[in-house]
Amino acid sequence: MRVAVCFNRAPSRPAKGCDADLISEQGAEKEAAEVARALKSRGYDAHLVALGPDPASFVDALRRLSPAVAFNLCEGFWGESRQEMHVASLFELLRLPYTGSTPLSLGLTQDKVRTKDLLLRYHLPTPGYTVARPGQHLLRSHDMAFPLIVKPRAEDASLGITSDSVVSTDRALRERVRFIHETYRQEALIEEFIDGRELNAAVLGDRRLEVLPISEIVFEEGLPHPIVSYDGKWLESSMEFARTRPVCPAPLRTREEMLVRDVALRACKILECRDYARVDIRLRDGIPYILEVNANPDICSDAGLARAAKTAEIPYPALIERIVQMAIQRKEPSHA
């Protein structure tokens, strides 16, 4: 079976943000190559297809290849994370079965504010928050006490997250909000900073979802703040990377694990995630606060989702094949 492994080609300069933000995008081809190797080891005819600045060329390449399914690893379009949903829409218009979540789910989860609005609507715990819009007077809600954390509203991969993101004064808050507005050209999400354990819940499945073993990010001494910063996630030479350590399975009490699994499953169902997703959680005083739902997380062999699968005794090639098979099973009879 022929599979197109689709990924973003990184631009030479970032569309916005900082030059260092390209590090995460440059890892896309490595991720795609790993997925392709895993598929080939399971007998699939896997081909890499890069999405560059011209979507028409991307469509032409897919038509020439004529795959049975596309493995969608595209997390945006030419440096624009907010275009992620539109890549999945291309597969929909081409009537090409593809892995991962739908355009609607990708769009909702890309928007951290809309995600939090929905979580609250269904009574799931998430940190208190407000939104700072460019050009508007910044008002901090009276029920939001310092420390706070400031993030771009619609980015992933920890873009825009540094030790300066955690603020404890009005002046620092204003400066960080201005940084998000000017650097990422979008609204800033201001959240209550939850000082607790950082947990990741990887979820697999389409109609029936299952939570893999819970992972924990352990923050060692010496970090300015216990957060997963951009450097801590991507810059291997950084102090943040060296002192940010993943542990799977996380040592949790039975009730804590049940609560984390429950909120992760409910969040993925509400946001209609499918095939694979990751829910980032902060556990404080027994309450699992949902920070973010990632409907298209990193799926490299050394990333959190694959680590959780390995703990569940699902080898990497089997994980990748399982995801492809879920897309195949959605294929309509008329497309066979």
Side-chain angles (χ1 to χ4, degrees):
M1 179 181 293
R2 184 169 296 169
V3 180
V5 180
C6 303
F7 69 97
N8 298 106
R9 181 81 71 191
S12 57
R13 297 187 65 183
K16 59 186 180 314
C18 310
D19 288 344
D21 290 348
L22 286 176
I23 296 172
S24 57
E25 292 197 43
Q26 290 166 349
E29 189 164 2
K30 169 182 175 289
E31 178 185 28
E34 281 198 305
V35 168
R37 283 195 298 271
L39 288 170
K40 287 177 181 178
S41 75
R42 306 290 283 197
Y44 293 84
D45 181 20
H47 298 258
L48 299 183
V49 181
L51 172 61
D54 180 14
S57 297
F58 178 69
V59 171
D60 287 344
L62 288 172
R63 284 176 168 158
R64 287 194 300 271
L65 184 63
S66 189
V69 64
F71 203 112
N72 181 23
L73 298 173
C74 298
E75 296 186 42
F77 171 68
W78 204 237
E80 287 286 354
S81 302
R82 283 176 287 188
Q83 302 295 326
E84 179 181 36
M85 63 185 292
H86 300 308
V87 182
S89 297
L90 277 178
F91 299 132
E92 296 270 3
L93 293 174
L94 293 170
R95 298 183 179 274
L96 174 61
Y98 61 96
T99 62
S101 293
T102 65
L104 176 60
S105 178
L106 292 169
L108 286 173
T109 55
Q110 185 71 52
D111 186 332
K112 294 179 175 64
V113 176
R114 289 287 174 262
T115 295
K116 291 169 75 69
D117 288 346
L118 280 167
L119 294 176
L120 287 179
R121 170 67 178 79
Y122 286 90
H123 309 291
L124 290 177
T126 189
Y129 65 102
T130 189
V131 179
R133 296 173 173 82
Q136 292 187 350
H137 182 63
L138 175 60
L139 290 174
R140 175 166 58 90
S141 174
H142 293 296
D143 59 357
M144 293 183 68
F146 289 117
L148 303 170
I149 184 167
V150 185
K151 309 172 181 177
R153 174 173 179 164
E155 299 292 345
D156 55 17
S158 291
L159 285 167
I161 307 298
T162 73
S163 60
D164 293 332
S165 298
V166 180
V167 298
S168 297
T169 66
D170 283 317
R171 179 177 179 179
L173 174 61
R174 288 193 298 270
E175 289 176 352
R176 196 62 192 177
V177 166
R178 186 183 305 115
F179 169 81
I180 297 298
H181 290 169
E182 294 177 353
T183 307
Y184 292 94
R185 301 197 293 275
Q186 60 188 272
E187 296 173 352
L189 170 63
I190 304 168
E191 279 186 328
E192 174 193 4
F193 178 67
I194 304 296
D195 191 2
R197 297 173 65 183
E198 178 100 10
L199 304 175
N200 303 141
V203 179
L204 284 184
D206 186 353
R207 293 176 180 85
R208 298 184 62 181
L209 304 179
E210 66 172 297
V211 182
L212 297 177
I214 310 299
S215 297
E216 180 172 8
I217 305 298
V218 176
F219 302 106
E220 299 178 351
E221 291 185 7
L223 291 170
H225 298 287
I227 59 173
V228 182
S229 66
Y230 185 84
D231 285 358
K233 183 177 284 188
W234 299 105
L235 192 60
E236 296 184 11
S237 61
S238 70
M239 177 268 291
E240 290 97 328
F241 187 94
R243 297 182 181 179
T244 302
R245 180 169 53 87
V247 174
C248 188
L252 294 168
R253 297 185 179 94
T254 300
R255 176 172 170 76
E256 291 173 334
E257 183 173 354
M258 288 175 61
L259 286 171
V260 169
R261 287 176 173 272
D262 178 62
V263 299
L265 278 176
R266 290 168 63 193
C268 286
K269 288 177 180 177
I270 289 165
L271 292 157
E272 300 183 2
C273 301
R274 70 182 188 190
D275 296 354
Y276 63 104
R278 191 191 71 237
V279 183
D280 298 338
I281 289 169
R282 277 275 169 132
L283 183 66
R284 184 183 69 184
D285 299 330
I287 300 174
Y289 293 90
I290 299 174
L291 304 182
E292 184 175 351
V293 179
N294 193 330
N296 190 8
D298 187 350
I299 201 169
C300 282
S301 61
D302 58 354
L305 194 138
R307 187 180 304 112
K310 183 178 180 181
T311 303
E313 299 184 348
I314 305 173
Y316 187 68
L319 170 68
I320 299 303
E321 181 177 33
R322 183 168 168 178
I323 292 168
V324 165
Q325 284 301 315
M326 285 187 275
I328 294 294
Q329 288 167 14
R330 288 193 294 268
K331 190 174 183 179
E332 298 177 6
S334 61
H335 300 163

